[in-house]
Amino acid sequence: DTEGGGGHTTRSHTIKKSMNRFTPYVKSGAEDFIMGKDKEQIAESDLITIISPDNIRLEWGPSTQISVKITDPIKKQKFRGMKSFMSYYITPISTNLTVERRYKQFDWFHERLTEKFPCMIIPPLPEKAVVGKYQQDFVEQRREKLELWLNRIGRHPVIAHCDVTNHFLTCQDEKDGWKEGKRKAESDKTSRVGFFMTIQCDAPLPDALRSEREVASFNGFTKKMEANLDKVVRHNDEYFHKMAGPLKQMYGKYGSLFKELGEVFETCPLPESKALTTAVMSTGKTYSEIADVYEAQPQYDAHVLNESVREYLGMLGSVPDM
């Protein structure tokens, strides 16, 4: 602090480098940006605008959303059948032109987005499969998840329209064209610290103390949300195992017992016992059907909920510590 004219105190700040070189603040390039290390000239076409509709909230400038469809997953081979992989056919609704992509290309795309946009939440890709990755049920689930993931990317006003997204969704030349776009994306000067240079704000900057409080509040919210959603997943897993295990076994046992009882009644020679035998056998069949319902039900509720919650957990896990 220094004493200025009229007895007023002015405060000056000195920016120091963080000693911890592995924090999100450092790895994202934010420190280099604040320290003024990157002096690259940014083309006007690369500038990204932040607006404030109500002079309170800040948000990215308006843009159109991109919707895609993924269809016809197909198993392919290379090296004379020594290596197999799945290909997915992607069609943006806006162009109606189809491109073919492997999972490894999705993985590369996700890596480039994470590198390019250090302060954004990039949804995680569906996890890789160790076994069963060519089974029909898994292939269809993977197709649905990749389509959902791509459409999430397409709804973001900035990510949806960057060069690497355009390359991934539109490049139809699987050899030279793909390699050229890949090299360009990997040498993009507007990635990491360069991304911060592209941002221009056409709105009044918010009060620093209010921003600090909001960041702290959001940071606390994400940690609590992550902890509670993790409990939901664990409880759902318990529910799934209980439905497919003890409850199915209990009702299945009832079904077997009544079936056996019905078979005993079938040995009775009295004509009037026929109706009772039918009723007992029907009861056994009903209990067996109830057991099957218990086993099948989680795929319609617990499984669906867990898939959505796990995706949200993945996004929360992508939020850097602030």
Side-chain angles (χ1 to χ4, degrees), residues 149-211:
W149 183 82
L150 265 185
N151 279 297
R152 283 198 185 279
I153 296 298
R155 287 196 294 271
H156 195 283
V158 175
I159 300 174
H161 298 280
C162 71
D163 288 344
V164 66
T165 301
N166 182 64
H167 173 63
F168 183 82
L169 292 178
T170 63
C171 179
Q172 293 185 298
D173 182 351
E174 294 295 322
K175 294 184 179 180
D176 294 339
W178 175 262
K179 290 179 181 178
E180 181 181 350
K182 186 171 181 286
R183 283 194 295 268
K184 181 180 177 183
E186 290 171 354
S187 59
D188 184 4
K189 295 186 181 298
T190 63
S191 293
R192 291 174 58 81
V193 63
F195 168 69
F196 294 101
M197 302 291 291
T198 68
I199 299 174
Q200 59 178 2
C201 187
D202 289 346
L205 293 176
D207 175 72
L209 289 177
R210 180 173 69 85
S211 296

Side-chain angles (χ1 to χ4, degrees), residues 18 20-28:
S18 170
N20 185 349
R21 310 310 297 163
F22 299 100
T23 63
Y25 167 69
V26 174
K27 292 194 293 183
S28 69

Side-chain angles (χ1 to χ4, degrees), residues 4-41:
H8 295 292
T9 300
T10 60
R11 186 177 298 275
S12 62
H13 296 278
T14 301
I15 301 174
K16 297 181 180 180
K17 290 188 69 172
S18 170
M19 297 302 291
N20 185 349
R21 310 310 297 163
F22 299 100
T23 63
Y25 167 69
V26 174
K27 292 194 293 183
S28 69
E31 182 190 65
D32 286 342
F33 171 70
I34 292 174
M35 300 285 288
K37 284 193 171 185
D38 199 303
K39 302 297 183 181
E40 286 286 342
Q41 288 294 108

Side-chain angles (χ1 to χ4, degrees), residues 52 54-58 204-218:
S52 179
D54 54 9
N55 287 328
I56 297 176
R57 294 174 295 110
L58 295 177
L205 293 176
D207 175 72
L209 289 177
R210 180 173 69 85
S211 296
E212 188 174 331
R213 286 195 298 269
E214 289 181 354
V215 168
S217 176
F218 179 74

Side-chain angles (χ1 to χ4, degrees), residues 116-132:
K116 181 173 177 63
F117 301 111
C119 61
M120 293 188 188
I121 300 172
I122 308 298
L125 276 173
E127 295 180 355
K128 293 181 179 179
V130 179
V131 295

Side-chain angles (χ1 to χ4, degrees), residues 272-318:
E272 55 267 27
S273 71
K274 185 175 181 181
L276 180 58
T277 300
T278 301
V280 171
M281 294 290 280
S282 179
T283 301
K285 181 182 178 184
T286 300
Y287 271 116
S288 295
E289 289 172 349
I290 291 173
D292 292 338
V293 169
Y294 270 103
E295 182 181 35
Q297 184 58 36
Q299 67 178 307
Y300 301 109
D301 48 37
H303 177 72
V304 175
L305 177 60
N306 262 10
E307 287 297 309
S308 299
V309 171
R310 282 195 172 99
E311 184 191 16
Y312 201 79
L313 277 170
M315 287 190 282
L316 286 172
S318 300

